[in-house]
Amino acid sequence: MRIGIVGCAGRMGKMLVGAVLDTEGCTLAGGTERLGADALDRDLGELVGRDRVGVPVEADPKALFQRSDAVIDFTAPAATLLHAELAAQSGRVLVVGTTGMSPEDEAKLRQAAVHTAIVYAPNFSIGVNLLMALTERAAAILADDYDIEIVEMHHRHKVDAPSGTALGLGRAAALGRAVALDGVWCKSRDGHTGARTKGEIGFATLRGGDVVGDHTVMFAAEGERVELTHKASSRAVFAKGAVRAARWAAGKPPGLYTMRDVLGL
Ligand code: NAD
């Protein structure tokens, strides 16, 4: 299977190039970067600290889609929408890990998925997807006298908050309670906010250092508290999961899939 990586010089892009090179049965179709990026024209293998592979970083995503069976995209919302259009036009599989997409952006992704298979997940690690399934189950079991709070911490460079994974965990909890997340969420608190509203799903965001991604879902009641926690210590888990998603989606009918579909959770 030929896999292309858009945004190949990013923190995740480099991990993805390495993951494709390490996966038997997969070949690296190429990688793109934005116009003006320092990495353009560099050899993809050297870019990720390996032997030369004879494939230079390019700026033209259209050519990359033509050469690939699947393309993996961990970039930024505007770039991802452009790549989704190219996936729809070319019929190639697209795996999207980009977070911070607005509801309008997500609607455009759904439109593109009418024409091809797209896997879109805020987190490609197996552990976090298990955490999502456990969160949904716990929220269904524990009534709303258990207050749900989701705490996340990421490295100092992260640009969106709360993290896509925290919002995904919120959606899983809301699903367990059979409510819509945007009707009950409280994404941040500041100043004289008044007492907590019953049934609210709260979020707290921490940023600092090189933290790859920590998430805790708390169910806090009078007299006890349940905490479900996941800590990622290497971005390699997301890259491995994204390559697994690309292989799973090959040959699937058009549609917008999640990592829970890929893992059968
Ligand atoms: P990063 O800033 O290090 O990398 C993004 C890369 O995309 C950069 O190299 C940038 O130049 C490139 N890019 C931007 N526009 C482009 C374009 N039009 N064409 C080609 N390349 C373009 O960021 P990162 O830490 O690698 O994270 C990227 C995204 O992935 C973020 O949204 C982050 O939240 C998300 N992420 C998701 C998961 C997951 O499992 N779903 C895990 C980690 C990070």
Side-chain angles (χ1 to χ4, degrees), residues 6-13 32-35 37 73-77 79 82-83 96-100 121-125 155 158 160 165 235 238:
V6 288
C8 60
R11 280 178 288 268
M12 276 307 301
T32 66
E33 258 301 330
R34 61 187 161 71
L35 281 172
D73 178 341
F74 283 57
T75 57
L82 175 84
H83 298 138
V96 175
T98 305
T99 62
N123 195 304
F124 278 90
S125 94
H155 55 88
K158 185 161 179 65
D160 52 314
T165 302
R235 288 184 178 84
F238 310 128

PDB file of all heavy atoms in Angstrom, residues 6-13 32-35 37 73-77 79 82-83 96-100 121-125 155 158 160 165 235 238, ligand 1:
ATOM      1  N   VAL A   6       1.047  14.324   4.269  1.00  0.00           N
ATOM      2  CA  VAL A   6       1.044  15.785   4.103  1.00  0.00           C
ATOM      3  C   VAL A   6       1.480  16.418   5.431  1.00  0.00           C
ATOM      4  O   VAL A   6       1.202  15.875   6.494  1.00  0.00           O
ATOM      5  CB  VAL A   6      -0.352  16.308   3.651  1.00  0.00           C
ATOM      6  CG1 VAL A   6      -0.620  15.941   2.205  1.00  0.00           C
ATOM      7  CG2 VAL A   6      -1.465  15.787   4.545  1.00  0.00           C
ATOM      8  N   GLY A   7       2.198  17.535   5.355  1.00  0.00           N
ATOM      9  CA  GLY A   7       2.731  18.138   6.587  1.00  0.00           C
ATOM     10  C   GLY A   7       3.820  17.280   7.191  1.00  0.00           C
ATOM     11  O   GLY A   7       3.935  17.148   8.413  1.00  0.00           O
ATOM     12  N   CYS A   8       4.674  16.711   6.314  1.00  0.00           N
ATOM     13  CA  CYS A   8       5.619  15.669   6.754  1.00  0.00           C
ATOM     14  C   CYS A   8       6.761  16.184   7.645  1.00  0.00           C
ATOM     15  O   CYS A   8       7.465  15.371   8.240  1.00  0.00           O
ATOM     16  CB  CYS A   8       6.191  14.944   5.536  1.00  0.00           C
ATOM     17  SG  CYS A   8       7.072  16.054   4.428  1.00  0.00           S
ATOM     18  N   ALA A   9       6.942  17.503   7.740  1.00  0.00           N
ATOM     19  CA  ALA A   9       8.035  17.997   8.586  1.00  0.00           C
ATOM     20  C   ALA A   9       7.557  18.414   9.970  1.00  0.00           C
ATOM     21  O   ALA A   9       8.342  18.882  10.797  1.00  0.00           O
ATOM     22  CB  ALA A   9       8.733  19.178   7.908  1.00  0.00           C
ATOM     23  N   GLY A  10       6.260  18.247  10.238  1.00  0.00           N
ATOM     24  CA  GLY A  10       5.728  18.599  11.557  1.00  0.00           C
ATOM     25  C   GLY A  10       6.114  17.560  12.601  1.00  0.00           C
ATOM     26  O   GLY A  10       6.686  16.517  12.272  1.00  0.00           O
ATOM     27  N   ARG A  11       5.780  17.848  13.885  1.00  0.00           N
ATOM     28  CA  ARG A  11       6.088  16.881  14.963  1.00  0.00           C
ATOM     29  C   ARG A  11       5.464  15.531  14.639  1.00  0.00           C
ATOM     30  O   ARG A  11       6.110  14.494  14.707  1.00  0.00           O
ATOM     31  CB  ARG A  11       5.535  17.399  16.304  1.00  0.00           C
ATOM     32  CG  ARG A  11       6.401  18.434  16.978  1.00  0.00           C
ATOM     33  CD  ARG A  11       5.753  18.926  18.280  1.00  0.00           C
ATOM     34  NE  ARG A  11       4.611  19.770  17.979  1.00  0.00           N
ATOM     35  CZ  ARG A  11       4.667  21.094  17.852  1.00  0.00           C
ATOM     36  NH1 ARG A  11       5.805  21.712  18.046  1.00  0.00           N
ATOM     37  NH2 ARG A  11       3.595  21.799  17.539  1.00  0.00           N
ATOM     38  N   MET A  12       4.171  15.536  14.251  1.00  0.00           N
ATOM     39  CA  MET A  12       3.508  14.272  13.910  1.00  0.00           C
ATOM     40  C   MET A  12       3.912  13.790  12.523  1.00  0.00           C
ATOM     41  O   MET A  12       4.042  12.588  12.290  1.00  0.00           O
ATOM     42  CB  MET A  12       1.982  14.443  13.987  1.00  0.00           C
ATOM     43  CG  MET A  12       1.406  14.279  15.371  1.00  0.00           C
ATOM     44  SD  MET A  12       1.891  12.737  16.161  1.00  0.00           S
ATOM     45  CE  MET A  12       1.272  11.529  15.005  1.00  0.00           C
ATOM     46  N   GLY A  13       4.101  14.720  11.574  1.00  0.00           N
ATOM     47  CA  GLY A  13       4.474  14.338  10.209  1.00  0.00           C
ATOM     48  C   GLY A  13       5.715  13.460  10.197  1.00  0.00           C
ATOM     49  O   GLY A  13       5.762  12.415   9.532  1.00  0.00           O
ATOM     50  N   THR A  32       4.469  16.125   1.696  1.00  0.00           N
ATOM     51  CA  THR A  32       4.399  17.548   1.308  1.00  0.00           C
ATOM     52  C   THR A  32       4.610  18.437   2.519  1.00  0.00           C
ATOM     53  O   THR A  32       4.442  18.016   3.673  1.00  0.00           O
ATOM     54  CB  THR A  32       3.012  17.918   0.735  1.00  0.00           C
ATOM     55  OG1 THR A  32       2.037  17.799   1.777  1.00  0.00           O
ATOM     56  CG2 THR A  32       2.630  17.053  -0.443  1.00  0.00           C
ATOM     57  N   GLU A  33       4.973  19.675   2.226  1.00  0.00           N
ATOM     58  CA  GLU A  33       5.015  20.729   3.232  1.00  0.00           C
ATOM     59  C   GLU A  33       4.433  21.993   2.605  1.00  0.00           C
ATOM     60  O   GLU A  33       4.263  22.071   1.389  1.00  0.00           O
ATOM     61  CB  GLU A  33       6.442  20.975   3.729  1.00  0.00           C
ATOM     62  CG  GLU A  33       6.723  20.339   5.083  1.00  0.00           C
ATOM     63  CD  GLU A  33       5.791  20.840   6.215  1.00  0.00           C
ATOM     64  OE1 GLU A  33       5.344  21.993   6.165  1.00  0.00           O
ATOM     65  OE2 GLU A  33       5.510  20.052   7.135  1.00  0.00           O
ATOM     66  N   ARG A  34       4.105  22.980   3.452  1.00  0.00           N
ATOM     67  CA  ARG A  34       3.543  24.236   2.927  1.00  0.00           C
ATOM     68  C   ARG A  34       4.611  24.996   2.153  1.00  0.00           C
ATOM     69  O   ARG A  34       5.823  24.825   2.415  1.00  0.00           O
ATOM     70  CB  ARG A  34       2.955  25.079   4.062  1.00  0.00           C
ATOM     71  CG  ARG A  34       3.981  25.458   5.059  1.00  0.00           C
ATOM     72  CD  ARG A  34       3.477  26.144   6.283  1.00  0.00           C
ATOM     73  NE  ARG A  34       4.512  26.013   7.282  1.00  0.00           N
ATOM     74  CZ  ARG A  34       5.682  26.635   7.261  1.00  0.00           C
ATOM     75  NH1 ARG A  34       5.963  27.484   6.290  1.00  0.00           N
ATOM     76  NH2 ARG A  34       6.581  26.418   8.195  1.00  0.00           N
ATOM     77  N   LEU A  35       4.163  25.852   1.221  1.00  0.00           N
ATOM     78  CA  LEU A  35       5.096  26.659   0.421  1.00  0.00           C
ATOM     79  C   LEU A  35       5.971  27.482   1.357  1.00  0.00           C
ATOM     80  O   LEU A  35       5.469  28.045   2.334  1.00  0.00           O
ATOM     81  CB  LEU A  35       4.316  27.599  -0.503  1.00  0.00           C
ATOM     82  CG  LEU A  35       3.745  26.949  -1.767  1.00  0.00           C
ATOM     83  CD1 LEU A  35       2.830  27.934  -2.492  1.00  0.00           C
ATOM     84  CD2 LEU A  35       4.875  26.482  -2.689  1.00  0.00           C
ATOM     85  N   ALA A  37       8.307  26.336   3.329  1.00  0.00           N
ATOM     86  CA  ALA A  37       8.834  25.564   4.468  1.00  0.00           C
ATOM     87  C   ALA A  37      10.297  25.187   4.214  1.00  0.00           C
ATOM     88  O   ALA A  37      10.680  24.889   3.074  1.00  0.00           O
ATOM     89  CB  ALA A  37       7.992  24.308   4.682  1.00  0.00           C
ATOM     90  N   ASP A  73      -2.981  12.971   7.195  1.00  0.00           N
ATOM     91  CA  ASP A  73      -2.948  14.424   7.369  1.00  0.00           C
ATOM     92  C   ASP A  73      -3.035  14.795   8.852  1.00  0.00           C
ATOM     93  O   ASP A  73      -4.093  14.661   9.467  1.00  0.00           O
ATOM     94  CB  ASP A  73      -4.133  15.002   6.585  1.00  0.00           C
ATOM     95  CG  ASP A  73      -4.260  16.513   6.710  1.00  0.00           C
ATOM     96  OD1 ASP A  73      -3.690  17.086   7.648  1.00  0.00           O
ATOM     97  OD2 ASP A  73      -4.953  17.108   5.876  1.00  0.00           O
ATOM     98  N   PHE A  74      -1.922  15.230   9.427  1.00  0.00           N
ATOM     99  CA  PHE A  74      -1.918  15.831  10.767  1.00  0.00           C
ATOM    100  C   PHE A  74      -1.331  17.227  10.557  1.00  0.00           C
ATOM    101  O   PHE A  74      -0.124  17.433  10.726  1.00  0.00           O
ATOM    102  CB  PHE A  74      -1.021  15.056  11.742  1.00  0.00           C
ATOM    103  CG  PHE A  74      -1.600  13.761  12.284  1.00  0.00           C
ATOM    104  CD1 PHE A  74      -2.005  12.751  11.441  1.00  0.00           C
ATOM    105  CD2 PHE A  74      -1.697  13.554  13.655  1.00  0.00           C
ATOM    106  CE1 PHE A  74      -2.509  11.541  11.942  1.00  0.00           C
ATOM    107  CE2 PHE A  74      -2.201  12.361  14.182  1.00  0.00           C
ATOM    108  CZ  PHE A  74      -2.608  11.355  13.317  1.00  0.00           C
ATOM    109  N   THR A  75      -2.139  18.179  10.098  1.00  0.00           N
ATOM    110  CA  THR A  75      -1.598  19.517   9.782  1.00  0.00           C
ATOM    111  C   THR A  75      -2.364  20.582  10.566  1.00  0.00           C
ATOM    112  O   THR A  75      -2.150  20.745  11.767  1.00  0.00           O
ATOM    113  CB  THR A  75      -1.662  19.787   8.262  1.00  0.00           C
ATOM    114  OG1 THR A  75      -3.008  19.666   7.789  1.00  0.00           O
ATOM    115  CG2 THR A  75      -0.763  18.835   7.490  1.00  0.00           C
ATOM    116  N   ALA A  76      -3.231  21.325   9.873  1.00  0.00           N
ATOM    117  CA  ALA A  76      -4.015  22.407  10.480  1.00  0.00           C
ATOM    118  C   ALA A  76      -5.342  22.461   9.717  1.00  0.00           C
ATOM    119  O   ALA A  76      -5.398  22.037   8.553  1.00  0.00           O
ATOM    120  CB  ALA A  76      -3.256  23.721  10.348  1.00  0.00           C
ATOM    121  N   PRO A  77      -6.425  22.986  10.346  1.00  0.00           N
ATOM    122  CA  PRO A  77      -7.750  22.888   9.720  1.00  0.00           C
ATOM    123  C   PRO A  77      -7.820  23.368   8.266  1.00  0.00           C
ATOM    124  O   PRO A  77      -8.386  22.659   7.419  1.00  0.00           O
ATOM    125  CB  PRO A  77      -8.622  23.732  10.650  1.00  0.00           C
ATOM    126  CG  PRO A  77      -7.994  23.537  11.990  1.00  0.00           C
ATOM    127  CD  PRO A  77      -6.515  23.522  11.723  1.00  0.00           C
ATOM    128  N   ALA A  79      -5.560  23.570   5.903  1.00  0.00           N
ATOM    129  CA  ALA A  79      -4.862  22.641   5.015  1.00  0.00           C
ATOM    130  C   ALA A  79      -5.658  21.341   4.890  1.00  0.00           C
ATOM    131  O   ALA A  79      -5.798  20.779   3.800  1.00  0.00           O
ATOM    132  CB  ALA A  79      -3.459  22.358   5.560  1.00  0.00           C
ATOM    133  N   LEU A  82      -8.439  21.511   2.360  1.00  0.00           N
ATOM    134  CA  LEU A  82      -7.918  21.420   0.985  1.00  0.00           C
ATOM    135  C   LEU A  82      -7.621  19.946   0.645  1.00  0.00           C
ATOM    136  O   LEU A  82      -7.978  19.451  -0.424  1.00  0.00           O
ATOM    137  CB  LEU A  82      -6.633  22.263   0.887  1.00  0.00           C
ATOM    138  CG  LEU A  82      -5.899  22.203  -0.425  1.00  0.00           C
ATOM    139  CD1 LEU A  82      -6.540  23.195  -1.389  1.00  0.00           C
ATOM    140  CD2 LEU A  82      -4.425  22.547  -0.239  1.00  0.00           C
ATOM    141  N   HIS A  83      -6.992  19.241   1.585  1.00  0.00           N
ATOM    142  CA  HIS A  83      -6.654  17.834   1.352  1.00  0.00           C
ATOM    143  C   HIS A  83      -7.916  16.975   1.240  1.00  0.00           C
ATOM    144  O   HIS A  83      -7.946  16.008   0.472  1.00  0.00           O
ATOM    145  CB  HIS A  83      -5.742  17.317   2.477  1.00  0.00           C
ATOM    146  CG  HIS A  83      -4.443  18.038   2.541  1.00  0.00           C
ATOM    147  ND1 HIS A  83      -3.853  18.431   3.725  1.00  0.00           N
ATOM    148  CD2 HIS A  83      -3.610  18.465   1.559  1.00  0.00           C
ATOM    149  CE1 HIS A  83      -2.718  19.065   3.461  1.00  0.00           C
ATOM    150  NE2 HIS A  83      -2.555  19.091   2.158  1.00  0.00           N
ATOM    151  N   VAL A  96      -7.365  11.631   8.877  1.00  0.00           N
ATOM    152  CA  VAL A  96      -7.207  12.989   9.422  1.00  0.00           C
ATOM    153  C   VAL A  96      -7.034  12.946  10.941  1.00  0.00           C
ATOM    154  O   VAL A  96      -7.910  12.477  11.668  1.00  0.00           O
ATOM    155  CB  VAL A  96      -8.440  13.862   9.079  1.00  0.00           C
ATOM    156  CG1 VAL A  96      -8.328  15.233   9.740  1.00  0.00           C
ATOM    157  CG2 VAL A  96      -8.606  14.004   7.573  1.00  0.00           C
ATOM    158  N   GLY A  97      -5.899  13.496  11.392  1.00  0.00           N
ATOM    159  CA  GLY A  97      -5.663  13.609  12.836  1.00  0.00           C
ATOM    160  C   GLY A  97      -5.702  15.048  13.305  1.00  0.00           C
ATOM    161  O   GLY A  97      -5.610  15.309  14.501  1.00  0.00           O
ATOM    162  N   THR A  98      -5.833  15.985  12.362  1.00  0.00           N
ATOM    163  CA  THR A  98      -5.852  17.413  12.706  1.00  0.00           C
ATOM    164  C   THR A  98      -6.963  17.717  13.704  1.00  0.00           C
ATOM    165  O   THR A  98      -8.085  17.249  13.537  1.00  0.00           O
ATOM    166  CB  THR A  98      -6.098  18.241  11.419  1.00  0.00           C
ATOM    167  OG1 THR A  98      -5.110  17.885  10.469  1.00  0.00           O
ATOM    168  CG2 THR A  98      -6.056  19.728  11.699  1.00  0.00           C
ATOM    169  N   THR A  99      -6.663  18.509  14.720  1.00  0.00           N
ATOM    170  CA  THR A  99      -7.686  18.906  15.699  1.00  0.00           C
ATOM    171  C   THR A  99      -7.968  20.408  15.551  1.00  0.00           C
ATOM    172  O   THR A  99      -7.327  21.084  14.754  1.00  0.00           O
ATOM    173  CB  THR A  99      -7.244  18.590  17.145  1.00  0.00           C
ATOM    174  OG1 THR A  99      -6.060  19.342  17.434  1.00  0.00           O
ATOM    175  CG2 THR A  99      -6.965  17.115  17.324  1.00  0.00           C
ATOM    176  N   GLY A 100      -8.930  20.896  16.333  1.00  0.00           N
ATOM    177  CA  GLY A 100      -9.277  22.311  16.266  1.00  0.00           C
ATOM    178  C   GLY A 100     -10.173  22.633  15.076  1.00  0.00           C
ATOM    179  O   GLY A 100     -10.316  23.795  14.696  1.00  0.00           O
ATOM    180  N   ALA A 121     -10.193  11.189  13.553  1.00  0.00           N
ATOM    181  CA  ALA A 121     -10.218  10.917  14.990  1.00  0.00           C
ATOM    182  C   ALA A 121      -9.364  11.941  15.716  1.00  0.00           C
ATOM    183  O   ALA A 121      -8.295  12.311  15.243  1.00  0.00           O
ATOM    184  CB  ALA A 121      -9.685   9.507  15.267  1.00  0.00           C
ATOM    185  N   PRO A 122      -9.831  12.411  16.870  1.00  0.00           N
ATOM    186  CA  PRO A 122      -9.031  13.365  17.632  1.00  0.00           C
ATOM    187  C   PRO A 122      -7.819  12.694  18.274  1.00  0.00           C
ATOM    188  O   PRO A 122      -6.904  13.370  18.733  1.00  0.00           O
ATOM    189  CB  PRO A 122      -9.998  13.861  18.705  1.00  0.00           C
ATOM    190  CG  PRO A 122     -11.010  12.768  18.864  1.00  0.00           C
ATOM    191  CD  PRO A 122     -11.119  12.116  17.518  1.00  0.00           C
ATOM    192  N   ASN A 123      -7.833  11.349  18.292  1.00  0.00           N
ATOM    193  CA  ASN A 123      -6.715  10.641  18.924  1.00  0.00           C
ATOM    194  C   ASN A 123      -6.623   9.236  18.337  1.00  0.00           C
ATOM    195  O   ASN A 123      -7.611   8.504  18.347  1.00  0.00           O
ATOM    196  CB  ASN A 123      -6.927  10.577  20.446  1.00  0.00           C
ATOM    197  CG  ASN A 123      -5.661  10.204  21.166  1.00  0.00           C
ATOM    198  OD1 ASN A 123      -5.071   9.163  20.869  1.00  0.00           O
ATOM    199  ND2 ASN A 123      -5.218  11.036  22.093  1.00  0.00           N
ATOM    200  N   PHE A 124      -5.447   8.890  17.818  1.00  0.00           N
ATOM    201  CA  PHE A 124      -5.284   7.600  17.145  1.00  0.00           C
ATOM    202  C   PHE A 124      -4.655   6.538  18.043  1.00  0.00           C
ATOM    203  O   PHE A 124      -4.318   5.467  17.566  1.00  0.00           O
ATOM    204  CB  PHE A 124      -4.473   7.783  15.856  1.00  0.00           C
ATOM    205  CG  PHE A 124      -5.337   8.276  14.712  1.00  0.00           C
ATOM    206  CD1 PHE A 124      -5.505   9.621  14.472  1.00  0.00           C
ATOM    207  CD2 PHE A 124      -6.025   7.375  13.907  1.00  0.00           C
ATOM    208  CE1 PHE A 124      -6.324  10.081  13.446  1.00  0.00           C
ATOM    209  CE2 PHE A 124      -6.850   7.813  12.879  1.00  0.00           C
ATOM    210  CZ  PHE A 124      -6.999   9.173  12.640  1.00  0.00           C
ATOM    211  N   SER A 125      -4.475   6.831  19.349  1.00  0.00           N
ATOM    212  CA  SER A 125      -3.886   5.787  20.196  1.00  0.00           C
ATOM    213  C   SER A 125      -4.969   4.789  20.606  1.00  0.00           C
ATOM    214  O   SER A 125      -6.133   5.147  20.804  1.00  0.00           O
ATOM    215  CB  SER A 125      -3.214   6.391  21.435  1.00  0.00           C
ATOM    216  OG  SER A 125      -4.093   6.406  22.535  1.00  0.00           O
ATOM    217  N   HIS A 155       1.868  19.773  25.732  1.00  0.00           N
ATOM    218  CA  HIS A 155       3.071  20.600  25.561  1.00  0.00           C
ATOM    219  C   HIS A 155       2.738  22.070  25.263  1.00  0.00           C
ATOM    220  O   HIS A 155       1.630  22.382  24.836  1.00  0.00           O
ATOM    221  CB  HIS A 155       3.918  20.018  24.428  1.00  0.00           C
ATOM    222  CG  HIS A 155       3.151  19.866  23.134  1.00  0.00           C
ATOM    223  ND1 HIS A 155       3.051  20.866  22.209  1.00  0.00           N
ATOM    224  CD2 HIS A 155       2.414  18.833  22.647  1.00  0.00           C
ATOM    225  CE1 HIS A 155       2.307  20.461  21.185  1.00  0.00           C
ATOM    226  NE2 HIS A 155       1.901  19.224  21.431  1.00  0.00           N
ATOM    227  N   LYS A 158       1.030  23.547  21.757  1.00  0.00           N
ATOM    228  CA  LYS A 158      -0.317  23.198  21.259  1.00  0.00           C
ATOM    229  C   LYS A 158      -1.163  24.472  21.106  1.00  0.00           C
ATOM    230  O   LYS A 158      -1.190  25.314  21.988  1.00  0.00           O
ATOM    231  CB  LYS A 158      -0.999  22.201  22.214  1.00  0.00           C
ATOM    232  CG  LYS A 158      -2.336  21.719  21.673  1.00  0.00           C
ATOM    233  CD  LYS A 158      -2.784  20.434  22.324  1.00  0.00           C
ATOM    234  CE  LYS A 158      -4.138  19.983  21.797  1.00  0.00           C
ATOM    235  NZ  LYS A 158      -4.105  19.639  20.366  1.00  0.00           N
ATOM    236  N   ASP A 160      -4.710  24.619  20.087  1.00  0.00           N
ATOM    237  CA  ASP A 160      -6.151  24.593  20.322  1.00  0.00           C
ATOM    238  C   ASP A 160      -6.456  24.062  21.725  1.00  0.00           C
ATOM    239  O   ASP A 160      -5.694  23.280  22.285  1.00  0.00           O
ATOM    240  CB  ASP A 160      -6.877  23.754  19.244  1.00  0.00           C
ATOM    241  CG  ASP A 160      -6.274  22.353  19.079  1.00  0.00           C
ATOM    242  OD1 ASP A 160      -5.033  22.249  19.012  1.00  0.00           O
ATOM    243  OD2 ASP A 160      -7.039  21.370  19.034  1.00  0.00           O
ATOM    244  N   THR A 165      -9.017  15.533  21.834  1.00  0.00           N
ATOM    245  CA  THR A 165      -9.261  14.296  22.586  1.00  0.00           C
ATOM    246  C   THR A 165     -10.172  14.562  23.785  1.00  0.00           C
ATOM    247  O   THR A 165     -11.090  13.785  24.060  1.00  0.00           O
ATOM    248  CB  THR A 165      -7.928  13.702  23.064  1.00  0.00           C
ATOM    249  OG1 THR A 165      -7.127  13.476  21.918  1.00  0.00           O
ATOM    250  CG2 THR A 165      -8.132  12.408  23.824  1.00  0.00           C
ATOM    251  N   ARG A 235       4.710  10.175  20.759  1.00  0.00           N
ATOM    252  CA  ARG A 235       3.811  10.425  19.616  1.00  0.00           C
ATOM    253  C   ARG A 235       3.752   9.223  18.671  1.00  0.00           C
ATOM    254  O   ARG A 235       2.895   9.167  17.807  1.00  0.00           O
ATOM    255  CB  ARG A 235       4.297  11.640  18.823  1.00  0.00           C
ATOM    256  CG  ARG A 235       4.085  12.934  19.522  1.00  0.00           C
ATOM    257  CD  ARG A 235       4.494  14.125  18.670  1.00  0.00           C
ATOM    258  NE  ARG A 235       4.202  15.333  19.405  1.00  0.00           N
ATOM    259  CZ  ARG A 235       5.003  15.866  20.307  1.00  0.00           C
ATOM    260  NH1 ARG A 235       6.171  15.319  20.550  1.00  0.00           N
ATOM    261  NH2 ARG A 235       4.643  16.949  20.965  1.00  0.00           N
ATOM    262  N   PHE A 238       0.363   7.535  18.162  1.00  0.00           N
ATOM    263  CA  PHE A 238      -0.623   8.145  17.256  1.00  0.00           C
ATOM    264  C   PHE A 238      -0.289   7.782  15.801  1.00  0.00           C
ATOM    265  O   PHE A 238      -1.183   7.514  14.992  1.00  0.00           O
ATOM    266  CB  PHE A 238      -0.633   9.670  17.395  1.00  0.00           C
ATOM    267  CG  PHE A 238      -0.748  10.173  18.813  1.00  0.00           C
ATOM    268  CD1 PHE A 238       0.144  11.107  19.327  1.00  0.00           C
ATOM    269  CD2 PHE A 238      -1.761   9.690  19.645  1.00  0.00           C
ATOM    270  CE1 PHE A 238       0.033  11.561  20.627  1.00  0.00           C
ATOM    271  CE2 PHE A 238      -1.872  10.151  20.943  1.00  0.00           C
ATOM    272  CZ  PHE A 238      -0.972  11.081  21.448  1.00  0.00           C
TER     273      PHE A 238
HETATM  274  P1  NAD B   1       3.146  20.819  13.849  1.00  0.00           P
HETATM  275  O1  NAD B   1       2.873  22.292  13.817  1.00  0.00           O
HETATM  276  O2  NAD B   1       4.450  20.336  14.386  1.00  0.00           O
HETATM  277  O3  NAD B   1       2.983  20.205  12.370  1.00  0.00           O
HETATM  278  C1  NAD B   1       2.041  20.627  11.420  1.00  0.00           C
HETATM  279  C2  NAD B   1       2.760  20.593  10.061  1.00  0.00           C
HETATM  280  O4  NAD B   1       1.803  20.820   9.029  1.00  0.00           O
HETATM  281  C3  NAD B   1       3.826  21.700   9.942  1.00  0.00           C
HETATM  282  O5  NAD B   1       5.049  21.127   9.520  1.00  0.00           O
HETATM  283  C4  NAD B   1       3.235  22.642   8.899  1.00  0.00           C
HETATM  284  O6  NAD B   1       4.216  23.287   8.112  1.00  0.00           O
HETATM  285  C5  NAD B   1       2.434  21.648   8.061  1.00  0.00           C
HETATM  286  N1  NAD B   1       1.423  22.297   7.204  1.00  0.00           N
HETATM  287  C6  NAD B   1       0.584  23.322   7.513  1.00  0.00           C
HETATM  288  N2  NAD B   1      -0.141  23.674   6.428  1.00  0.00           N
HETATM  289  C7  NAD B   1       0.240  22.835   5.426  1.00  0.00           C
HETATM  290  C8  NAD B   1      -0.137  22.695   4.049  1.00  0.00           C
HETATM  291  N3  NAD B   1      -1.071  23.469   3.501  1.00  0.00           N
HETATM  292  N4  NAD B   1       0.456  21.726   3.312  1.00  0.00           N
HETATM  293  C9  NAD B   1       1.407  20.919   3.847  1.00  0.00           C
HETATM  294  N5  NAD B   1       1.829  21.032   5.139  1.00  0.00           N
HETATM  295  C10 NAD B   1       1.236  21.965   5.911  1.00  0.00           C
HETATM  296  O7  NAD B   1       1.923  20.214  14.657  1.00  0.00           O
HETATM  297  P2  NAD B   1       1.772  18.734  15.274  1.00  0.00           P
HETATM  298  O8  NAD B   1       2.118  18.744  16.724  1.00  0.00           O
HETATM  299  O9  NAD B   1       2.449  17.733  14.372  1.00  0.00           O
HETATM  300  O10 NAD B   1       0.191  18.553  15.191  1.00  0.00           O
HETATM  301  C11 NAD B   1      -0.508  18.650  13.958  1.00  0.00           C
HETATM  302  C12 NAD B   1      -1.990  18.423  14.207  1.00  0.00           C
HETATM  303  O11 NAD B   1      -2.214  17.071  14.636  1.00  0.00           O
HETATM  304  C13 NAD B   1      -2.581  19.314  15.315  1.00  0.00           C
HETATM  305  O12 NAD B   1      -3.903  19.662  14.962  1.00  0.00           O
HETATM  306  C14 NAD B   1      -2.576  18.390  16.526  1.00  0.00           C
HETATM  307  O13 NAD B   1      -3.517  18.743  17.514  1.00  0.00           O
HETATM  308  C15 NAD B   1      -2.942  17.095  15.869  1.00  0.00           C
HETATM  309  N6  NAD B   1      -2.603  15.867  16.618  1.00  0.00           N
HETATM  310  C16 NAD B   1      -3.513  14.870  16.541  1.00  0.00           C
HETATM  311  C17 NAD B   1      -3.258  13.640  17.138  1.00  0.00           C
HETATM  312  C18 NAD B   1      -4.246  12.522  16.950  1.00  0.00           C
HETATM  313  O14 NAD B   1      -3.994  11.393  17.404  1.00  0.00           O
HETATM  314  N7  NAD B   1      -5.376  12.774  16.249  1.00  0.00           N
HETATM  315  C19 NAD B   1      -2.067  13.454  17.841  1.00  0.00           C
HETATM  316  C20 NAD B   1      -1.131  14.489  17.898  1.00  0.00           C
HETATM  317  C21 NAD B   1      -1.410  15.704  17.263  1.00  0.00           C
END
